Amino acid sequence: MSEKTVWSLSIVCFAMSTLLSLVGIITVIQLYFNVSIYWASLYASIFAGSLGISSLITPALFSKYEKKKVILSILVITAICNLAQLFMTNYYAALIFRIIPAILYPIAVSASLTIVGKINPDYTNRVVLGISAGSILGLSVTSYLGLAYGYQICMLWFVLIDIIAIIATVLFIPKFEGNKEPVSLQISHAKSKLFLYSILFVFFMVVGISITYNYIPTFLDQVTHMDAGMVFTTLFIMGLLSMVGTVLSGHLVNQNGNLAVLFYPIGFTVVMFIVGFFARYPFYEFCTLLIFSLFDGSAYTVTQYWVTSSARESPEFANGIFLLMCNLSIFIGTMIGSAIIDIIDIVYIFYGSMIMMILAIPFVLIRIKTNPDAR
């Protein structure tokens, strides 16, 4: 596989995952559509919820089709939907065009992961980097554009990224035949306690991250009192460090996957506490968020490894479940975060995250004890 193909697959994942970054402008969405923060949060997070549900079955259903055509078709449809949202002011109409790409997302991303995994698994982390960069680095760009220029400019940004991904797919991604194995057989590969322990760990961990992460731009604005430029700078640097975290965690997982995954929720719980403690001190908050970014950037690598290593015989289905658990958890975490903000106060989101992280730890220990050799 050429370097251009690998990075093109990464760009595809980046383009699709950037749509998740709309959670960074919940207050902008609230003003643009003139709705409450609850409905604005729903609009931003329903992408993750919809693609999470879609991930349960669509990757396996579409696995039999030639993958380049599938990826290209989905990118074109996504670009059209984002372009349509650019001109819409009706909340419910825009919501429909927000959901359509979400349903197609797991098909394109799972196909990308499957292509790189079949040809050279060592390059998988580069494609995972595209997923994390889209939602993490994309958050800084989307938040800045939204806070400085408004909702419509964010939609234009999404369309431009889609066009770049379409061009890269046409030029550099080769044809790749689908998996002819029946869907029922693919699903049967994942009926194990090993698989169950793995997805429960991912669920609690990603919910924990999302309760805090999706409200960081709002938190920095309302509690830490950073201006739009400083929020952008902070989120942009966080995005860059998150990508470093993605690469670093890939090496750690390859060295000792069990130990790396066990350390992850424990370390992140401590980091969450520190970030919450320094919430009202801009300089210290900025410094602690840099450490937070390294952990956050590691999330996709850790979860993708933990799920797919528990169902090696069925990569499309395993990648679909990985996307399901990650994005359904993002949706649930975002809604829990909005409830904490509405009912209690935004400063308590860190406590919600810490509780979920702690709940994830037993499932790592159970899997390691019962299946120590699973890789």
Side-chain angles (χ1 to χ4, degrees):
M1 179 184 290
S2 70
E3 290 288 318
K4 290 181 180 178
T5 300
V6 175
W7 291 116
S8 295
L9 291 169
S10 184
I11 290 170
V12 169
C13 292
F14 177 86
M16 298 301 297
S17 297
T18 300
L19 298 176
L20 290 162
S21 68
L22 212 62
V23 294
I25 58 164
I26 287 174
T27 54
V28 176
I29 296 169
Q30 181 183 5
L31 294 173
Y32 182 80
F33 290 110
N34 192 26
V35 295
S36 69
I37 191 169
Y38 176 85
W39 291 106
S41 297
L42 178 65
Y43 184 86
S45 62
I46 201 168
F47 187 91
S50 299
L51 80 85
I53 295 170
S54 174
S55 299
L56 184 61
I57 191 65
T58 54
L61 282 177
F62 283 81
S63 63
K64 62 182 178 180
Y65 299 108
E66 197 276 310
K67 299 192 184 304
K68 178 175 181 175
K69 290 181 180 178
V70 168
I71 292 172
L72 188 58
S73 299
I74 289 172
L75 287 172
V76 171
I77 294 170
T78 299
I80 293 171
C81 288
N82 289 331
L83 186 63
Q85 290 177 78
L86 177 63
F87 302 103
M88 288 182 176
T89 56
N90 181 277
Y91 176 87
Y92 297 102
L95 194 65
I96 293 172
F97 284 91
R98 174 84 173 145
I99 292 172
I100 292 172
I103 294 172
L104 300 174
Y105 172 106
I107 305 170
V109 174
S110 178
S112 299
L113 289 170
T114 300
I115 290 174
V116 71
K118 289 284 188 180
I119 298 180
N120 191 336
D122 292 340
Y123 287 132
T124 300
N125 196 51
R126 298 189 190 181
V127 179
V128 172
L129 180 63
I131 301 174
S132 61
S135 58
I136 298 170
L137 186 60
L139 180 70
S140 62
V141 178
T142 302
S143 298
Y144 174 73
L145 292 175
L147 292 171
Y149 302 105
Y151 171 82
Q152 290 178 307
I153 298 300
C154 291
M155 291 299 106
L156 182 59
W157 148 246
F158 292 159
V159 173
L160 292 175
I161 295 298
D162 291 335
I163 292 172
I164 293 172
I166 289 169
I167 294 171
T169 300
V170 171
L171 295 179
F172 304 119
I173 297 179
K175 290 184 178 181
F176 195 92
E177 291 304 316
N179 181 3
K180 303 305 180 182
E181 187 177 58
V183 174
S184 58
L185 184 57
Q186 294 183 48
I187 295 173
S188 69
H189 292 316
K191 292 180 179 179
S192 67
K193 290 183 179 180
L194 172 64
F195 194 72
L196 176 63
Y197 299 145
S198 300
I199 63 175
L200 286 173
F201 162 75
V202 171
F203 172 77
F204 284 110
M205 192 191 74
V206 180
V207 168
I209 296 171
S210 301
I211 290 173
T212 293
Y213 178 78
N214 291 334
Y215 293 96
I216 283 179
T218 304
F219 189 86
L220 293 177
D221 177 42
Q222 296 180 2
V223 179
T224 315
H225 301 299
M226 292 183 180
D227 58 29
M230 190 60 193
V231 170
F232 166 74
T233 302
T234 301
L235 293 176
F236 184 76
I237 295 173
M238 285 177 65
L240 294 177
L241 285 175
S242 294
M243 295 171 69
V244 173
T246 302
V247 175
L248 179 62
S249 61
H251 292 299
L252 294 176
V253 164
N254 287 334
Q255 291 295 319
N256 191 326
N258 288 343
L259 185 61
V261 176
L262 176 60
F263 170 75
Y264 187 84
I266 298 172
F268 214 163
T269 300
V270 175
V271 171
M272 287 284 187
F273 175 79
I274 297 172
V275 172
F277 184 81
F278 288 114
R280 301 184 188 278
Y281 304 93
F283 175 75
Y284 296 112
E285 185 71 348
F286 172 80
C287 293
T288 53
L289 283 174
L290 301 185
I291 303 172
F292 177 98
S293 302
L294 293 172
F295 276 89
D296 185 61
S298 304
Y300 281 108
T301 300
V302 170
T303 54
Q304 201 268 346
Y305 161 75
W306 208 236
V307 173
T308 56
S309 65
S310 64
R312 292 292 187 191
E313 302 87 352
S314 183
E316 288 91 353
F317 182 73
N319 283 321
I321 296 299
F322 154 66
L323 295 171
L324 164 67
M325 297 310 299
C326 282
N327 293 285
L328 188 59
S329 301
I330 289 172
F331 173 75
I332 293 172
T334 302
M335 300 314 295
I336 291 174
S338 70
I340 291 172
I341 293 169
D342 278 345
I343 298 171
I344 311 175
D345 190 89
I346 192 170
V347 296
Y348 286 91
I349 56 177
F350 300 104
Y351 295 104
S353 292
M354 290 165 62
I355 290 170
M356 289 296 172
M357 288 286 180
I358 292 170
L359 290 174
I361 295 171
F363 296 104
V364 184
L365 295 173
I366 293 170
R367 170 174 156 169
I368 292 174
K369 182 178 180 180
T370 57
N371 298 274
D373 298 324
R375 294 289 186 273

